[in-house]
Amino acid sequence: GWAEMSTRLLLSGPTGTGKTTFARALGNTLRLPLLATSVGTWLEPSHLGDVLARMAIAFEEAKTHAPCLLFIDEIDGIGRRRYDRAEHDDYWNAVVNRALELMDGAVRTEGVILVGATNHPSAIDPALLRSGRLETRIDIPMPDVDALVGILQHHLGCDVGAVVGSAPRA
């Protein structure tokens, strides 16, 4: 059952390592639709009320389409709550607090798997990484030579020998 599964995870790794592809593959494997959004999309309007509304719409859409996978790219853009009385602390505190509220609500919504992706996990507020939120972290490193060969074989199939053979020698 949904209550017995960990349905929250964070994909972490350098740019270009396949975090989005991993999320798509997870959705395909589970035979669930992938709803994709990004923190950048949420932050486009800049006015706090509009940002918070866009966040809520993404979670509501996932709830409506459950069972599904909600993929949030660049989740580190939510940032961290700040308490040093800087100029925009109230804004960022509200954004993080709303994300926490929505994630807690999504936990109670059966059928929604939440996947966040980031290049900078240290930029994420620790509360977003606690149990019940983005509790499982999967680090996706840059591929080594064996992994690259496997990727090429997967995509090129029996043509991989011809492609490798046609490569200029150094």
Side-chain angles (χ1 to χ4, degrees):
W2 285 97
E4 299 167 5
M5 295 184 345
S6 175
T7 58
R8 307 286 178 265
L9 72 119
L10 177 67
L11 303 177
S12 173
T15 302
T17 54
K19 296 177 292 291
T20 303
T21 301
F22 182 99
R24 264 193 232 110
L26 179 61
N28 288 340
T29 299
L30 297 173
R31 296 184 179 148
L32 295 176
L34 174 74
L35 304 177
T37 187
S38 73
V39 173
T41 299
W42 295 349
L43 296 175
E44 277 177 3
S46 148
H47 182 268
L48 181 59
D50 293 336
V51 170
L52 301 179
R54 281 185 176 211
M55 293 170 72
I57 288 167
F59 280 84
E60 189 58 39
E61 184 178 348
K63 190 176 178 182
T64 301
H65 288 86
C68 70
L69 194 144
L70 175 59
F71 177 68
I72 305 171
D73 203 6
E74 307 300 341
I75 200 157
D76 53 280
I78 291 174
R80 293 175 171 263
R81 289 174 287 187
R82 299 173 179 106
Y83 300 104
D84 56 3
R85 305 248 184 244
E87 185 176 350
H88 301 289
D89 283 359
D90 290 343
Y91 181 94
W92 292 109
N93 291 344
V95 170
V96 172
N97 289 339
R98 184 65 172 144
L100 294 169
E101 178 187 338
L102 291 165
M103 285 183 191
D104 286 341
V107 168
R108 292 187 294 273
T109 302
E110 286 194 359
V112 177
I113 296 174
L114 178 63
V115 178
T118 182
N119 301 334
H120 308 287
S122 61
I124 299 173
D125 192 280
L128 293 168
L129 303 175
R130 284 202 310 255
S131 181
R133 293 172 182 151
L134 298 172
E135 60 195 6
T136 302
R137 179 171 159 182
I138 298 173
D139 291 314
I140 302 177
M142 293 298 285
D144 59 14
V145 171
D146 291 336
L148 288 172
V149 168
I151 291 166
L152 287 172
Q153 284 176 330
H154 173 77
H155 290 286
L156 298 174
C158 61
D159 293 334
V160 73
V163 170
V164 171
S166 70
R169 304 269 185 235

